[in-house]
């Protein structure tokens, strides 16, 4: 494994940073993608690389770095992502496009750039999706939409390249204790200030409830290090499953989406959100 490379995108903090450390500990040389130099961290087996997955020049530089290395590329872990929550009606189109650029198109760009190396090494693509790629909560339209799309792209890619020796794996985390949820709440609150009075009357309490639910789910979730061990399993398993969940909440919700009709799932989700609604004001 010391002679094999792994690329991890979004490795500044959270699951990405933990996955980079875990994979380096297991003997890989990890190219850890960070968006800014101050976010770079160095440790044995970890080499930070400047990588904004929405910047074609930086993606091309990553591909060149891999091509110039005599070691094989074992896997790319597409982990970079942002969380943006707002009602469908109230989310500006620029934000919709930004979410899809980061959470979907950037992953496709990195995968396209590194597929020649993965085909040579018979490596694998590990796409970090979300339980939101299976069940779309209220205000999660953009985030879940990109994750649903990533799930579909992963299925299509798997059926294209597994006959050529490249494995494609999806990892679906539930609540994980990282900075992402806190940033998501801050973004949701910022976007809520841009709602019209009519939209605020319709959705204001819902946004507050989702923020509370998001925070509580994160606080009770797994650590980033525990999530990293699941990612490492997806990277290293000799015969990996097509999908891995992280956390009991993700395992439960993905099962429910397979067995419940839409209306029943609507009621389950509504009941979970209802417990977090703020008290109505006079």
């Amino acid at each position: 494994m010391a002679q094999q490379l792994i690329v991890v995108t979004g490795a500044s903090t959270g699951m990405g940073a933990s996955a980079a450390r875990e994979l380096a500990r297991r003997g890989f040389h990890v190219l850890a993608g960070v968006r800014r130099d101050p976010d770079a961290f160095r440790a044995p087996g970890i080499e930070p690389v400047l990588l904004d997955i929405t910047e074609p020049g930086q993606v091309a530089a990553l591909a060149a770095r891999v091509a110039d290395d005599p070691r094989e590329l074992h896997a790319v872990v597409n982990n970079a992502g942002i969380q943006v929550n707002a009602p469908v009606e109230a989310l500006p189109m620029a934000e919709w496009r930004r979410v899809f650029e980061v959470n979907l198109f950037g992953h496709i760009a990195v995968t396209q750039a590194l597929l020649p190396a993965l085909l040579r090494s018979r490596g694998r693509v590990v796409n970090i999706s979300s339980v939101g790629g299976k069940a779309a909560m209220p205000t999660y339209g953009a985030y879940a939409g990109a994750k649903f799309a990533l799930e579909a792209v992963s299925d299509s890619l798997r059926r294209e390249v597994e006959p050529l020796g490249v494995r494609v794996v999806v990892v679906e985390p539930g609540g994980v204790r990282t900075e992402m949820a806190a940033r998501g709440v801050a973004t949701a609150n910022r976007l809520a200030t841009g709602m019209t009075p009519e939209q605020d009357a319709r959705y204001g309490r819902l946004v507050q409830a989702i923020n509370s639910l998001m925070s509580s789910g994160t606080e009770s979730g797994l650590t980033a290090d525990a999530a990293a061990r699941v990612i490492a399993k997806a990277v290293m398993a000799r015969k990996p499953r097509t999908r891995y969940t992280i956390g009991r909440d993700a395992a439960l919700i993905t099962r429910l989406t397979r067995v419940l009709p839409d209306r029943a799932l609507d009621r389950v989700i509504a009941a979970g959100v209802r417990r977090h609604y703020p008290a109505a004001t006079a």
Side-chain angles (χ1 to χ4, degrees):
M1 293 177 191
Q3 301 306 310
Q4 291 182 312
L5 299 176
I6 292 195
V7 169
V8 179
T9 70
S12 301
T13 59
M15 287 193 301
S18 291
R21 287 191 290 265
E22 180 69 21
L23 291 165
R25 186 183 68 80
R26 296 184 186 219
F28 293 100
H29 184 82
V30 180
L31 302 178
V34 298
R35 291 184 63 238
R36 305 177 306 153
D37 283 329
D39 295 330
F41 65 96
R42 286 170 173 80
I46 296 177
E47 176 187 339
V49 294
L50 197 62
L51 179 63
D52 180 336
I53 63 173
T54 68
E55 290 291 337
Q58 293 184 14
V59 173
L62 171 66
R65 166 68 185 82
V66 170
D68 289 342
D69 198 299
R71 293 168 289 198
E72 288 188 337
L73 179 62
H74 175 71
V76 55
V77 180
N78 285 312
N79 169 76
I82 57 173
Q83 186 155 351
V84 176
N85 291 77
V88 170
E89 178 188 357
L91 185 62
M93 288 307 304
E95 293 288 345
W96 281 92
R97 294 187 178 97
R98 186 169 74 96
V99 171
F100 274 75
E101 283 291 341
V102 177
N103 290 359
L104 179 64
F105 301 138
H107 298 320
I108 295 171
V110 170
T111 301
Q112 286 181 338
L114 296 180
L115 260 177
L118 291 170
L119 288 163
R120 287 193 296 272
S121 66
R122 300 174 72 85
R124 67 187 59 178
V125 177
V126 178
N127 286 332
I128 309 302
S129 177
S130 167
V131 67
K134 292 296 188 182
M137 299 282 287
T139 81
Y140 275 69
Y143 180 82
K147 293 298 187 180
F148 266 73
L150 183 62
E151 298 261 352
V153 169
S154 300
D155 286 341
S156 184
L157 180 65
R158 185 181 70 250
R159 291 157 186 159
E160 292 165 0
V161 299
E162 283 205 354
L164 305 176
V166 175
R167 301 295 183 96
V168 179
V169 184
V170 175
V171 178
E172 299 162 340
V176 178
R177 299 201 295 272
T178 70
E179 298 88 341
M180 187 175 185
R183 291 195 296 265
V185 169
T187 299
N189 287 331
R190 173 179 62 80
L191 291 168
T193 64
M195 291 194 298
T196 67
E198 293 80 9
Q199 290 170 344
D200 184 65
R202 285 193 284 271
Y203 308 118
R205 293 176 66 239
L206 172 63
V207 170
Q208 293 179 57
I210 292 294
N211 284 346
S212 172
L213 177 61
M214 192 189 320
S215 297
S216 67
T218 299
E219 290 167 3
S220 63
L222 295 179
T223 65
D225 288 345
R229 290 191 287 272
V230 179
I231 294 171
K233 182 186 296 186
V235 166
M236 297 179 66
R238 190 172 66 88
K239 293 183 178 180
R241 303 201 301 265
T242 59
R243 281 173 171 79
Y244 293 84
T245 56
I246 295 178
R248 293 181 179 178
D249 55 340
L252 174 62
I253 291 170
T254 54
R255 289 193 190 101
L256 290 178
T257 62
R258 291 196 293 265
V259 299
L260 290 182
D262 288 346
R263 295 298 186 189
L265 188 59
D266 288 349
R267 289 192 290 272
V268 170
I269 290 173
V273 173
R274 194 178 301 117
R275 290 196 293 271
H276 293 269
Y277 262 80
T281 57

